[in-house]
Amino acid sequence: MSVPDKRAETSYPINDLLANRWSPRAFADRAIPPDVLGSLFEAARWAPSSRNMQPWRFAIADRHRHPDQFEVILSTLMEGNRAWAQHASLLLIAITEPKPAGSDRPNTYAQYDVGQAIAHLNIQAMACGLYMHQMGGFRRDLARERLAIPPQFEPVVSAAIGYLAPPSALPEDIRARELMPRSRHPLSELVFTAKWGETHPDYA
Ligand SMILES: Cc1cc2nc3c(=O)[nH]c(=O)nc-3n(C[C@H](O)[C@H](O)[C@H](O)COP(=O)(O)O)c2cc1C
């Protein structure tokens, strides 16, 4: 069984890294070299952010180098995610600072900016031959407790990163999801003119 072809079917051409990105559950038992990992977080670091506040932190654990720490992050995932994410090479939790130290007002773009940093990280991962699967399905309170995240920080999302593997080793129910075609709403439903709900004629 080979890796499935999950390339996006697009109406207009897009960059290969974007077209080929998807969220797999089958990961190879292969360590990520530290310098490759460094590139991923460098990409996140250089993401844009509101007022350049950079409201992101990343708790990471490499399964091959730090199995004990990997177990800590794994233990915060919901069971359904743990079933497959346990085989990833790296787990991360992205954390934000909703109200920066020394500021009297919240950073209303904090979560948005973390999402953007993760998007950059994801595309850099693709450029390095790695795939990422984000997970909202983790216990934030447990993560806060087990990772000793201070109260002024907030866990946003978790993610599994690794090299792609064929889905053959996955349990049947998870394999079925792995092989499902990817779908998106059409551009005609997404891109409006200046009048709300009116499809832009270029995409009708
Ligand atoms: C914020 C966020 C939370 C997600 N949470 C989960 C999750 O808990 N479990 C899971 O299997 N996938 C999760 N996903 C993956 C999405 O289901 C996936 O991105 C979506 O179905 C589109 O598929 P694609 O990434 O392969 O294009 C999450 C993605 C995002 C961005």
Side-chain angles (χ1 to χ4, degrees):
M1 190 178 254
S2 55
V3 297
D5 177 12
K6 306 276 279 197
R7 189 179 166 89
E9 281 178 24
T10 63
S11 317
Y12 295 86
I14 61 174
N15 185 285
D16 274 346
L17 296 176
L18 297 167
N20 291 325
R21 186 215 59 80
W22 62 288
S23 304
R25 295 172 182 83
F27 290 104
D29 184 13
R30 184 174 156 197
I32 306 172
D35 59 324
V36 171
L37 267 187
S39 296
L40 268 50
F41 294 103
E42 197 65 68
R45 183 165 84 101
W46 284 98
S49 63
S50 172
R51 292 182 282 152
N52 199 21
M53 302 276 278
Q54 306 161 61
W56 45 66
R57 305 286 188 281
F58 306 98
I60 66 168
D62 181 309
R63 184 165 65 81
H64 297 89
R65 282 191 293 153
H66 303 290
D68 293 353
Q69 294 186 26
F70 187 89
E71 281 301 320
V72 172
I73 297 188
L74 186 67
S75 74
T76 70
L77 303 186
M78 300 297 191
E79 206 174 315
N81 287 330
R82 227 183 304 147
W84 52 266
Q86 62 178 309
H87 302 294
S89 300
L90 189 98
L91 286 178
L92 72 75
I93 296 184
I95 297 149
T96 195
E97 190 177 22
K99 188 159 172 264
S103 172
D104 54 0
R105 58 188 172 121
N107 176 3
T108 50
Y109 286 100
Q111 299 243 352
Y112 177 94
D113 289 344
V114 171
Q116 187 146 227
I118 286 285
H120 283 222
L121 193 156
N122 200 350
I123 297 308
Q124 183 61 45
M126 290 294 299
C128 296
L130 288 157
Y131 286 76
M132 174 160 105
H133 194 141
Q134 296 177 61
M135 295 167 285
F138 73 108
R139 294 184 176 83
R140 284 162 182 77
D141 288 352
L142 206 56
R144 181 182 289 291
E145 181 191 316
R146 296 199 173 153
L147 281 72
I149 299 167
Q152 68 270 29
F153 290 90
E154 212 171 86
V156 178
V157 77
S158 57
I161 299 176
Y163 296 97
L164 201 55
S168 37
L170 290 173
E172 202 173 318
D173 54 330
I174 302 181
R175 193 184 326 137
R177 279 196 283 159
E178 191 80 338
L179 297 173
M180 264 165 39
R182 297 174 61 221
S183 68
R184 289 298 190 271
H185 300 304
L187 286 177
S188 59
E189 291 177 16
L190 309 178
V191 188
F192 302 153
T193 63
K195 186 175 175 212
W196 176 257
E198 184 176 80
T199 299
H200 190 285
D202 286 355
Y203 309 110

